[in-house]
Amino acid sequence: MFGVITGISKPLKRILGSCSTMVNDSDEDFLYHIGALAKGHDGKLHPTQAGLLAFGHEYEITNYAPQYLLDYREESSGSRRWDDRIVSQSGDWSGNLIDFYYLVTERLLRHFKMPFSTDETGTVHGALNPVTEAANEAVANALVHAYYGANGSIRIILKEDQLSVSNPGSLLVDWRVAVAGGFSETRNPTLMRIFGFIGVSDRAGSGLQQIWETWQNIYGEEPLLSEAHLPASVSLVMPLREEKAPGKTREYPQETIWSFAPIDDATLASLLASVPEGLTPQEVHDVTGISKRSAQERLKRLWEEGSISREKDGRFYRYKA
């Protein structure tokens, strides 16, 4: 139905290196075991949608999904349309999702100039630097959660001041739930499983949470997540401003440096009272160790109860006792 998966040797070797229990499988058996192949009515093995997208060639994929397009561009020069580009239609590489992920993350690695960490097989992606790791997570999310039957494309555009990632489809959960983490809803579960074999997806529902925390900690800003309709698409814009200077960390009185033990509302109010200029949720997290999301929710509740006050400080609120 989907044609024949060809040219899988490179991604297959990457995956085999991290799947010791399947290392003795033939290529065909291995693809069957991970869901890339399935038995048809004729009793023979045929590529699944996930297998075709992950391992097929672009001309095979577009026979099934005519609007399929992967597009990565670096646009840092004002003298031309782009400085570097990877597009699935170019014909000089396979055009599938696995190879696209590796080609893009290799370029992000060079841009952010931070090394990858790997396991003993050398296959598991994960950056020593949280910015690179979060950027890789954004790319993986777009590839795994896209709706491939839509009239749209996956576009990743790297500019001097931002990294934007967009994919066709809609969010399956409210964006606030996604950012809070801990809840996973997947449009393409088999595709996520395949990516999991190369150490890209952990199915923990923590991808956007990791991106948000990293950008707040490193750049002092939140990414912008938005949806469009007709056609449906999701866009994530990650600003690339100057990183927060380490020397600008706020100094707190010694008595306000708390342990990671549970902190009740009275203790939280006492902490605010000890800092006359007030604290943002991020600063409460820095001082107490409670999560930023929890700090936001608790401070907002105390403010709604009238126990504390708040004032706008840029894009965030500063809370005072």
Side-chain angles (χ1 to χ4, degrees):
M1 178 180 178
F2 298 133
V4 178
I5 294 179
T6 57
I8 63 170
S9 57
K10 287 176 62 180
L12 185 61
K13 288 177 181 177
R14 288 176 179 137
I15 294 178
L16 279 171
S18 60
C19 303
S20 58
T21 60
M22 302 181 189
V23 73
N24 295 321
D25 282 353
S26 67
D27 288 2
E28 188 176 78
D29 287 342
F30 176 77
L31 291 169
Y32 175 69
H33 288 152
I34 67 173
L37 294 177
K39 289 184 179 179
H41 295 298
D42 58 2
K44 298 180 181 180
L45 292 176
H46 300 273
T48 61
Q49 172 181 295
L52 181 67
L53 291 168
F55 301 116
H57 279 293
E58 189 269 346
Y59 59 84
E60 298 168 331
I61 298 171
T62 52
N63 282 337
Y64 166 70
Q67 304 301 328
Y68 172 86
L69 178 67
L70 307 176
D71 190 4
Y72 168 84
R73 298 198 301 267
E74 294 179 9
E75 300 177 352
S76 58
S77 172
S79 60
R80 51 188 173 184
R81 295 171 63 189
W82 58 76
D83 300 280
D84 190 14
R85 190 182 188 194
I86 305 168
V87 62
S88 54
Q89 297 176 337
S90 63
D92 56 354
W93 63 287
S94 69
N96 65 46
L97 299 186
I98 295 290
D99 283 340
F100 183 72
Y101 174 81
Y102 278 102
L103 288 169
V104 170
T105 54
E106 284 169 3
R107 281 160 173 77
L108 294 178
L109 167 63
R110 293 200 297 266
H111 178 80
F112 292 113
K113 297 180 176 63
M114 294 294 173
F116 285 102
S117 62
T118 60
D119 63 8
E120 64 276 7
T121 69
T123 60
V124 176
H125 273 211
L128 296 175
N129 179 269
V131 173
T132 313
E133 186 170 313
N136 293 347
E137 186 69 35
V139 174
N141 277 348
L143 298 177
V144 168
H145 296 295
Y147 173 55
Y148 289 100
N151 183 18
S153 60
I154 294 177
R155 297 187 187 277
I156 302 169
I157 302 177
L158 178 62
K159 298 183 178 181
E160 290 185 351
D161 61 347
Q162 68 178 36
L163 171 65
S164 64
V165 181
S166 62
N167 62 269
S170 58
L171 291 171
L172 298 180
V173 298
D174 183 86
W175 73 271
R176 289 173 286 266
V177 175
V179 172
F183 182 84
S184 178
E185 185 73 20
T186 308
R187 176 172 280 112
N188 304 301
T190 304
L191 194 56
M192 174 172 276
R193 184 168 183 260
I194 291 173
F195 269 82
F197 280 114
I198 57 173
V200 175
S201 172
D202 61 7
R203 308 185 74 168
S206 59
L208 285 180
Q209 182 186 38
Q210 174 193 5
I211 293 169
W212 249 249
E213 290 182 354
T214 298
W215 249 249
Q216 289 169 336
N217 291 337
I218 303 298
Y219 296 104
E221 294 189 65
E222 289 188 349
L224 175 63
L225 183 65
S226 61
E227 287 187 90
H229 304 282
L230 298 176
S233 65
V234 177
S235 175
L236 176 65
V237 178
M238 307 157 72
L240 300 175
R241 318 293 186 194
E242 183 179 355
E243 295 185 11
K244 293 193 300 184
K248 293 183 179 180
T249 303
R250 182 187 298 274
E251 295 184 2
Y252 303 97
Q254 184 61 39
E255 62 269 23
T256 68
I257 306 300
W258 305 91
S259 70
F260 280 69
I263 296 174
D264 57 25
D265 288 347
T267 304
L268 187 56
S270 176
L271 170 62
L272 293 175
S274 69
V275 185
E277 63 270 37
L279 297 171
T280 65
Q282 177 64 53
E283 291 167 343
V284 170
H285 162 72
D286 293 340
V287 174
T288 66
I290 64 176
S291 72
K292 186 183 176 194
R293 179 64 56 182
S294 177
Q296 288 174 324
E297 293 174 350
R298 293 177 62 181
L299 290 169
K300 182 180 179 182
R301 177 170 52 80
L302 289 173
W303 172 75
E304 290 173 343
E305 294 173 352
S307 302
I308 60 176
S309 62
R310 75 179 186 183
E311 60 184 31
K312 197 72 173 176
D313 184 2
R315 296 181 61 188
F316 306 98
Y317 283 106
R318 183 169 294 280
Y319 293 84
K320 300 180 180 181

